[in-house]
Amino acid sequence: MAAILSARTAGHRGERLLLVALAASWLFFALPLVLGEKTLILRDVLTTHLPMKAYGAAALAHGSVPAFDTTRALGQPFAGNPNALPYYPGNLLYLLLPFWSAFNAHYVLHWLLAFLSFRKLARELDQSGLAATMAALTYAGSGYVLSCLSFYNLIAVAAWLPLVLWGLARGGRRGTLWGGVACGLMLLSGEPVTAALAVVLMALVAVERHGWKRGLAASAAVGGLGLLVALPQVVAAARTFGFTFRGAHGLLAAQAANHALQVPRLLELFLPLPWGWPSELGRFGHWSNVTPITPYIYSLYFGVVALAVALWALRARWRWALLVGASLLLAIVGGHSGELLLKLSGGLFRYPQKLLLWTTVGAALLAGWGVDRLLRSGEVGGRRESPEGGRGRAVFGLAVGAGLAACTAGALFLWRGPVRAMFVAELGAGSDGVAATQQTLWLLGCASAALLAAGAAWAIGRRCGVALVGLQALALLQLAPMVATDRVDALAPPAPWVERLGSTRSVALVSNAFPPWTRSESMRAAESIAEGWRDARLGLDPATGALHGLTYPLAPDLDGIFSPLQALLNDNLARFGWPARIQWLRLLGAAWLVRAEDGQPPPPLEEVTAETYLRRHELYRIPDPAPLAFWPREVLAAASPIAALGMVNRLPDPLATAVASRAVEHHPEGRVEILAVEDDRLHLAVASAGGLLVVQRAYFPILEARLEDGRRLATLPVDLVLLGVEVPAGRHEIRIGTSSRPEAIAGIVSLLVAGCALLVGGRRP
């Protein structure tokens, strides 16, 4: 008995030391980010989320959540944009910490929450402490969750989802109420498609624990409560969605099928990064033609140790095994017919790789159950676990797997020339250098898999669970290149040109135009993503320019939330020549244009300066940009948006003549004074004989213009994309903005529901 107790004590001590080591590893990575010394940089971190959060943080400091982000395209929806997380409680970090610290703390704190919440879920699903640690480590360190560190919204979904599932597994009053609050936070964090995919996981957990009838009822209750907690986001999105491009036109079939899973990528279940590193461009190549665009999920890998032990739970947990297989299959098949995918999803689903959420959750839970089956005997969670013979078969299987991996590594080394030729001819490597790099990655991956499998065989044979989980941690360290960072002091300071811009900091970037204005623009000659972003900073990219007061009246529609009118303009500017483009840039208020040298003739504008980091950037002055609000001399009516586009192109002076969507009685003499500008709200004074006021705001139906006595004025699209306001004769003060009353009422409901749920759920039965 003493020996058994001593072994248990040693085991618990080993588990605690393992958790301390994992915490120290997280702290080693997270501390420079939270201190504001470094920042994450991959993909949407800087392209999408940093400019949005910079605007949102500045507005929050004024005590508001704007309806529109006026720094992009004269006003893209902000409160109704799920990517902006406008009502997420984590935004309070921006009131407590410096911007860069708060921005990166969001990522690393949710990454930690993903581990802790998944471990809590695994424990609720009857896994032992060590098995739950294996499951949580597999989930939080997987290629899927590490890819989520490129998405401000997805990492929050990944963090809260396990707590939603925990609430359903626990059941009862506390589980339902707390799970509902977690569901609300998951929905507030903004990625609706991934949150919708969670419904399948919710139903599976609930039905397994409580049966079909009670399980589905519990899932509905948690989901309904979550919608009430997330009500402000739901209301804000509903108010703007109908007048966005995606709301009006849906998705194209090609967009829906984009980012499907290619069959060769199933190799990533065994090798972490066989096709290249996402953080390196020149030295290592980017991605081979197996993945012609950067994958939405960088790697399917969740560790060869977890993969091996998960196999021993397949029979006992066949529903989860079926879900893992089905998600991989659907992610592959989803790319074969975008039209069918749109029909099945109601026109909203894109990126079949998002289905890998099911793969990752299922595989992580199977890994935990596999640990218990292999390392424990007797009854665990009401199930009879594997006898010693099963453990012996696992050790033998792992030994064979280690031998095969070692032989593969040897073959890759011995036949370097033929293998390299195969990479170029069959696997889409763009050059011999990329082929050599990928061959090296394969060789190292196979050698690592051999060592890890051999170590896992030893750990299972000795029933040393701590060593098994430690080996899994080592396996996941191979995904470290997916988490790229750079020094904040290399990105945060204003670019050298910012001071040259003076008080008018409205900038148009040729490199950001989409569709592109030139097909021959060279790629950034960067060795790494970090160098590429430093070069982009010189060119006044929104990723850091938004922190220094720069605005971008002509911007690509990254989220499909611009108005259809703005999308029409963007599409046609790619077809127009420079005279028409300059006409539109003046009308949109752009004072400056930045162009990277691309071998094409320069625009007919005054070049102010040029600088070179990795390539030459040129700064041009745009003459006479339109003011924020102006009174035209003449107003013409256009029969359609297409007609308006053509009429504006032919105007000798777009500031003198406005093209409205309908006839307006207009008197030419009028004077406009800007009294105040705060976030997306304007306060103007207009003296005129009556007519049309033109405001540099993107037209949206929910934008309101009101007189000093509260009367609402008629608004309409002007010059295709701008806001027009019909103003009566006389001198008037006009306020332009959007009523936040619906969101405020929804917010009160949300707080009451969440508060009551936490209070009642916290009471003891």
Side-chain angles (χ1 to χ4, degrees), residues 60 71 80 87 122 223 298 301 317 426 457 483 562 583:
L60 190 62
T71 65
Y87 299 103
Y298 289 136
Y301 189 73
R317 304 287 179 170
E426 304 294 337
V483 189
F562 285 7
Q583 184 98 314

Side-chain angles (χ1 to χ4, degrees), residues 15 67 144 158 199 240 249 283 305 416 515 634 745:
E15 290 180 34
Y144 179 91
V199 171
T240 57
H249 297 286
R283 180 182 175 194
V305 177
R416 293 186 295 277
E634 180 185 17
I745 295 173

Side-chain angles (χ1 to χ4, degrees), residues 460-477:
I460 292 172
R462 294 293 187 94
R463 296 182 63 180
C464 185
V466 172
L468 190 66
V469 179
L471 288 167
Q472 169 68 354
L474 292 176
L476 292 172
L477 277 178

Side-chain angles (χ1 to χ4, degrees), residues 386-434:
S386 61
E388 294 292 333
R391 189 177 302 115
R393 290 193 298 273
V395 170
F396 177 77
L398 281 166
V400 171
L404 291 174
C407 290
T408 303
L412 289 169
F413 179 77
L414 293 174
W415 291 294
R416 293 186 295 277
V419 170
R420 189 170 303 171
M422 179 190 70
F423 270 93
V424 174
E426 304 294 337
L427 297 179
S431 66
D432 286 340
V434 172

Side-chain angles (χ1 to χ4, degrees), residues 510-593:
V510 175
S511 60
N512 271 12
F514 185 83
W517 290 359
T518 173
R519 297 293 178 183
S520 60
E521 185 176 349
S522 60
M523 294 294 290
R524 292 175 177 147
E527 283 290 306
S528 68
I529 294 290
E531 286 189 351
W533 278 117
R534 294 176 190 181
D535 184 62
R537 168 181 166 269
L538 179 67
L540 303 182
D541 191 276
T544 54
L547 295 171
H548 307 294
L550 273 62
T551 61
Y552 301 87
L554 191 70
D557 188 359
L558 299 176
D559 307 309
I561 63 169
F562 285 7
S563 77
L565 302 175
Q566 191 83 33
L568 177 63
L569 176 61
N570 285 358
D571 286 345
N572 282 279
L573 283 177
R575 303 181 178 94
F576 294 160
W578 275 113
R581 291 174 188 163
I582 293 171
Q583 184 98 314
W584 281 101
L585 291 175
R586 286 185 61 214
L587 186 60
L588 300 178
W592 306 93
L593 182 136

